[in-house]
Amino acid sequence: MKKFIYVFFTILTVSISAQEIHWMSMEEALAAQEKNPKKIFMDVYTDWCGPCRLLDKKTFHNPDVAKYVNENFYAVKFNAEGTESFDYQGNHFSNPNYVEGKRGRNSQHQFATALKVRGYPSMVFFDENSNLIFPITGFHDVQQLEVFLKLMGTNDYKKVTSQQQFDEYQKTFKNTFKG
């Protein structure tokens, strides 16, 4: 009986301490911004993208990343070849060329095209008024992503306006996320 109680509390403790990113749709994030302004962090992925799955598994499931994203951003999971439909800054976005049941690559969503997403995965940052700040492309491990999350979360991106300034920022940056 003691062993059962120990196992039960161990599982309970692990499940309570496990933190995951609270993903939402772009439409939900835009609605949430109207009530409580907060930046948006968008993961732009496709179903067939291996590095996208790796980013999800290795980086987004890190407790430090999840905690920071949840505290500082509305997190949007956006399938760049999906069927989501929403309005953004006076324009309607959808994927009218999507082919149901198609295997592999499908038509790119109008919003991914508008954001000029050219590779997957891409992560896109928006300010508190849903204005595009900038995208980053490719797989990033925990420490690499931490630099960008904190650059955005602390508003340091407003002071870092050149590649030289970013290189200096990155060089002096002290990682705190365990990875």
Side-chain angles (χ1 to χ4, degrees):
M1 182 67 168
K2 286 182 184 179
K3 190 173 187 177
F4 172 78
I5 293 171
Y6 175 76
V7 170
F8 173 77
F9 280 109
T10 301
I11 291 170
L12 183 64
T13 302
V14 169
S15 66
I16 289 172
S17 65
Q19 178 127 14
E20 292 188 13
I21 295 175
H22 304 296
W23 297 107
M24 56 179 61
S25 69
M26 186 61 167
E27 191 171 43
E28 291 168 333
L30 294 171
Q33 267 191 334
E34 288 181 19
K35 294 177 185 163
N36 180 26
K38 206 162 142 177
K39 291 179 189 77
I40 295 174
F41 170 75
M42 176 185 278
D43 171 33
V44 182
Y45 72 97
T46 65
D47 292 333
W48 51 262
C49 170
C52 297
R53 288 189 294 273
L54 190 64
L55 181 68
D56 199 41
K57 181 180 177 183
K58 299 269 186 191
T59 306
F60 293 154
H61 278 86
N62 176 283
D64 293 326
V65 170
K67 183 175 190 276
Y68 194 85
V69 168
N70 290 336
E71 288 174 357
N72 294 281
F73 302 93
Y74 292 116
V76 172
K77 195 82 150 153
F78 180 71
N79 185 345
E81 295 179 352
T83 59
E84 186 176 350
S85 183
F86 57 90
D87 294 323
Y88 170 77
Q89 295 190 341
N91 297 301
H92 183 75
F93 293 93
S94 64
N95 192 350
N97 298 318
Y98 177 82
V99 178
E100 185 70 39
K102 183 175 181 183
R103 298 175 65 87
R105 295 179 188 240
N106 211 316
S107 171
Q108 187 176 45
H109 196 283
Q110 292 171 336
F111 194 58
T113 303
L115 295 173
K116 297 182 176 27
V117 171
R118 302 283 182 250
Y120 307 109
S122 286
M123 289 158 280
V124 184
F125 294 92
F126 300 85
D127 69 15
E128 294 84 353
N129 297 310
S130 70
N131 297 308
L132 175 67
I133 300 173
F134 68 79
I136 57 174
T137 302
F139 172 81
H140 289 72
D141 67 24
V142 171
Q143 280 76 34
Q144 291 167 332
L145 185 57
E146 180 183 4
V147 173
F148 289 102
L149 290 174
K150 291 192 175 169
L151 179 72
M152 298 283 97
T154 61
N155 288 325
D156 282 347
Y157 76 94
K158 293 177 180 180
K159 298 180 273 185
V160 177
T161 58
S162 70
Q163 184 63 49
Q164 183 180 3
Q165 289 174 325
F166 178 72
D167 292 343
E168 186 60 31
Y169 179 88
Q170 214 173 7
K171 190 165 68 173
T172 60
F173 186 83
K174 302 283 188 243
N175 287 96
T176 60
F177 291 179
K178 293 176 181 80

